[in-house]
């Protein structure tokens, strides 16, 4: 069939992979940072000129990288909102990142619709500060003139696809990107324009949601552009997730998602009902504390890095001699304890050793993520295999404890540009459908990710005991936290 490209426009850079359409083998790669002026040590800006993404894309594609490519798929950072005026010009810079400016706006919107349950039933998620719907409320309250000029709403991957196609009248998005906006329901497959009006003060034009294997269009040069999607959905597609697979992502915060055949409306707000890039669903549960708990422990113990913390933890044993850490250092979202703090329990003379505290930090982080997994399992989501992502997934202490605490096979994929690869796979699918060689309901089968596979084995019972120790402390400290 030929070759296709996938580009991933992350918050900081653009990566491009050029792949064989039949096997998914990566043939060429490109990379360029976004030209965003952020002083060293400063936080990433919350407002970014989207032209920076185009400049980065052009640089990453230099040197003839895309020569011979027949189709391109686009993955991009999620929740980046680009408000446009009636002529298609940006009203203001794109609002990106974990934008904490709009935390008050999130609370306002929750109250305006009648509470968390009303939002969960409407669109499958409860407004969070980062979501586009919440950014719209912030815009209306803080920049009313810009809000009034806003006539069209796009997200990062929508905007990039539109630019690649030469800014046509038709604007498109996909189910994955739309499902994170807070004004599109994965359960019904429809927008809620009334929620845009509730947030912004008036309705706007919204991109057409096209199917996973549909093409957004063709460039004047004949290059097919696929639907595109958000980074989370693209990475899941690049990894080749299927039913029974879950992903646990270890960042400063953590997330757990799994492939499921239907959207899960969760009135507690712990589950965010996202759609995936194949026509299925990706229910996601987020924890506010993951690797930040490890970093905090390392600093407390005077260690320079997480590798040293892992080495120290391996000198302890499962259960950390009774020491239990509830890692709720930034409050917590799962369970919903926004104003709480972390807890260290089980202090006895014999447990007050550095290696036991180190081990307790790893077990606390992983038990918190196991709680998130149990939220999905409790709603009927099947979890047979868990992909563990993030740099911390390579630490020996994580790999030793994760299979026994999660109670499932753990797969640690080799580092790769999975979001860009997922975008390329989507491009191959759309290309094959357009040529009549692929079924629009069945994506191309590509070679799986190279990975290390870890089994719980004989330590499953030990892991269950450690989990129970964690659950007992959690219930004593925060009774009924998961029933609230």
């Amino acid at each position: 069939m030929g070759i296709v490209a996938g580009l991933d426009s992350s918050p900081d850079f653009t990566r491009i992979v050029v792949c064989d359409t039949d096997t998914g083998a990566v043939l060429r790669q490109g990379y360029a940072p976004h030209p965003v002026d952020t002083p060293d040590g400063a936080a990433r800006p919350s407002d970014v000129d989207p032209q920076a993404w185009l400049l980065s894309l052009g640089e990453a594609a230099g040197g003839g990288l895309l020569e011979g490519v027949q189709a391109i798929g686009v993955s991009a950072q999620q929740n980046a909102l680009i408000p446009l005026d009636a002529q298609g010009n940006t009203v203001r810079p794109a609002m990106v990142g974990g934008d904490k400016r709009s935390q008050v706006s999130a609370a306002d919107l929750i109250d305006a619709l009648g509470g968390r349950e009303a939002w969960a039933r409407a669109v499958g998620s409860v407004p969070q500060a980062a979501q586009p719907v919440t950014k719209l409320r912030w815009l209306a309250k803080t920049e009313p003139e810009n809000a009034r000029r806003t006539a069209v709403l796009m997200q990062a991957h929508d905007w990039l696809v539109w630019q690649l196609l030469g800014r046509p009248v038709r604007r498109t998005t996909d189910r994955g990107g739309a499902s994170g906006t807070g004004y599109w329901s994965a359960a019904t497959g429809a927008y809620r324009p009334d929620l845009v009006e509730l947030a912004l003060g008036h309705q706007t034009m919204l991109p057409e949601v096209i199917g996973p294997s549909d093409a957004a269009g063709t460039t004047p040069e004949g290059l097919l552009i696929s639907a595109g999607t958000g980074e989370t959905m693209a990475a899941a597609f690049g990894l080749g997730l299927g039913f029974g697979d879950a992903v646990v992502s270890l960042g400063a915060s953590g997330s757990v998602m799994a492939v499921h055949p239907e959207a899960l409306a969760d009135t507690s707000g712990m589950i965010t009902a996202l759609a995936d890039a194949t026509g299925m669903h990706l229910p996601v549960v987020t924890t506010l504390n993951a690797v930040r708990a490890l970093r905090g422990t390392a600093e407390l113990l005077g260690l320079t890095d997480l590798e040293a913390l892992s080495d120290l933890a391996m000198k302890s044993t499962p259960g950390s001699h009774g020491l239990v850490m509830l890692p709720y250092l930034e409050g917590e979202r799962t369970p919903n304890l926004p104003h709480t703090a972390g807890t260290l329990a089980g202090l006895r003379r014999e447990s007050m050793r550095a290696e036991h505290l180190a081990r307790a930090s790893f077990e606390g982080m992983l038990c918190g993520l196991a709680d998130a997994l149990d939220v999905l399992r409790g709603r009927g989501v099947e979890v047979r295999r868990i992909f563990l992502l993030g740099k911390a997934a390579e630490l020996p202490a994580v790999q030793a404890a994760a299979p026994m605490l999660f109670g499932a096979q753990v797969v640690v994929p080799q580092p790769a540009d999975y979001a860009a690869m997922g975008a390329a796979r989507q491009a191959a699918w759309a290309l094959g459908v357009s040529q009549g060689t692929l079924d629009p309901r069945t994506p191309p089968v590509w070679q799986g990710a190279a990975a290390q596979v870890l089994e719980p084995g004989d330590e499953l019972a030990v892991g269950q005991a450690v989990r129970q120790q964690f659950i007992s402390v959690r219930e004593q400290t925060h009774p009924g936290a998961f029933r609230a």
Side-chain angles (χ1 to χ4, degrees):
M1 285 171 60
I3 59 175
V4 292
L7 71 87
D8 176 39
S9 180
S10 84
D12 297 312
F13 54 78
T14 299
R15 288 196 189 276
I16 301 177
V17 296
V18 176
C19 299
D20 180 274
T21 53
D22 293 324
T23 66
V26 176
L27 308 175
R28 303 191 290 269
Q29 300 182 62
Y31 167 87
H34 294 328
V36 178
D37 185 19
T38 303
D40 289 344
R44 183 188 296 128
S46 297
D47 292 334
V48 174
D49 183 350
Q51 292 294 329
W53 308 333
L54 283 182
L55 292 170
S56 172
L57 192 165
E59 185 179 343
L65 184 76
L66 299 180
E67 185 175 343
V69 164
Q70 296 167 275
I72 293 178
V74 177
S75 157
Q77 59 178 302
Q78 287 155 240
N79 297 325
L81 180 70
I82 303 107
L84 305 175
D85 64 19
Q87 288 72 46
N89 301 312
T90 52
V91 168
R92 69 179 315 284
M95 303 170 69
V96 302
D99 200 338
K100 295 186 177 180
R101 294 177 299 184
S102 48
Q103 283 178 328
V104 172
S105 298
D108 286 347
L109 281 177
I110 292 170
D111 291 341
L113 194 65
R116 299 169 66 85
E117 183 172 341
W119 277 97
R121 294 192 186 283
V123 290
S125 64
V126 178
Q128 301 292 322
Q131 280 186 298
V133 71
T134 307
K135 291 180 168 76
L136 291 179
R137 171 55 71 100
W138 180 89
L139 192 64
K141 296 289 187 183
T142 311
E143 300 177 1
E145 181 54 36
N146 285 338
R148 279 192 290 272
R149 291 177 54 214
T150 298
V152 182
L153 299 177
M154 302 189 86
Q155 293 190 89
H157 89 262
D158 313 336
W159 189 84
L160 286 166
V161 165
W162 186 55
Q163 297 292 326
L164 290 172
L165 290 172
R167 295 164 58 103
V169 173
R170 182 193 190 212
R171 300 176 178 91
T172 63
T173 189
D174 86 307
R175 297 168 65 256
S179 65
T181 59
Y183 43 81
W184 186 87
S185 168
T188 65
Y191 280 118
R192 288 288 302 266
D194 58 312
L195 298 182
V196 173
E197 185 170 2
L198 179 70
L200 187 63
H202 61 89
Q203 294 191 12
T204 65
M205 290 184 63
L206 300 168
E208 175 189 348
V209 181
I210 61 177
S213 62
D214 291 344
T218 305
T219 68
E221 299 77 26
L223 191 64
L224 182 143
I225 308 295
S226 64
T229 194
E231 272 189 316
T232 296
M233 301 79 190
F237 199 38
L239 283 165
L241 298 191
F243 290 127
D245 290 337
V247 173
V248 174
S249 295
L250 301 177
S253 56
S255 68
V256 176
M257 65 180 178
V259 179
H260 198 59
E262 60 185 9
L264 297 177
D266 174 42
T267 55
S268 74
M270 283 191 288
I271 298 175
T272 298
L274 298 180
D276 79 347
T278 72
M280 296 299 163
H281 296 269
L282 275 179
V284 178
V285 180
T286 302
T287 69
L288 296 182
N289 302 276
V291 175
R292 65 165 39 99
L294 303 184
R295 295 201 182 283
T297 306
E299 290 169 7
L300 180 66
L301 293 173
L303 302 175
T304 56
D305 54 40
L306 296 186
E307 287 74 17
L309 184 70
S310 174
D311 292 344
L312 185 60
M314 294 298 285
K315 296 177 182 177
S316 182
T317 54
S320 309
H321 274 243
L323 207 58
V324 175
M325 178 184 289
L326 303 184
Y328 306 153
L329 308 185
E330 296 284 321
E332 189 47 81
R333 182 175 171 186
T334 307
N336 185 31
L337 299 166
H339 306 300
T340 193
T343 300
L344 191 62
L347 285 169
R348 295 183 178 84
R349 180 65 189 88
E350 61 272 18
S351 66
M352 295 178 71
R353 297 177 62 90
E355 62 265 31
H356 302 324
L357 178 57
R359 176 92 189 194
S361 70
F362 282 96
E363 291 179 343
M365 175 188 75
L366 293 170
C367 283
L369 289 161
D371 280 349
L373 266 172
D374 284 349
V375 171
L376 293 179
R377 285 172 165 146
R379 292 297 306 278
V381 177
E382 187 175 353
V383 178
R384 295 191 303 268
R385 183 172 63 159
I386 295 168
F387 286 77
L388 199 57
L389 303 184
K391 289 183 179 178
E394 300 171 24
L395 295 172
V398 170
Q399 295 190 4
M404 70 168 85
L405 294 177
F406 292 155
Q409 182 187 83
V410 170
V411 178
V412 184
Q414 288 185 2
D417 300 323
Y418 291 109
M421 291 166 67
R425 189 179 176 205
Q426 187 194 66
W429 192 8
L431 180 64
V433 169
S434 75
Q435 296 174 336
T437 58
L438 287 177
D439 187 323
R441 296 163 297 179
T442 308
V445 178
W446 279 9
Q447 58 197 16
Q452 184 178 4
V453 178
L454 309 169
E455 301 283 356
D458 296 337
E459 295 198 311
L460 186 58
V462 175
Q464 290 174 333
V466 175
R467 277 286 325 271
Q468 191 53 54
Q469 179 178 268
F470 178 91
I471 291 168
S472 296
V473 172
R474 189 195 68 219
E475 281 298 301
Q476 290 168 10
T477 311
H478 307 286
F482 277 99
R483 296 189 296 275

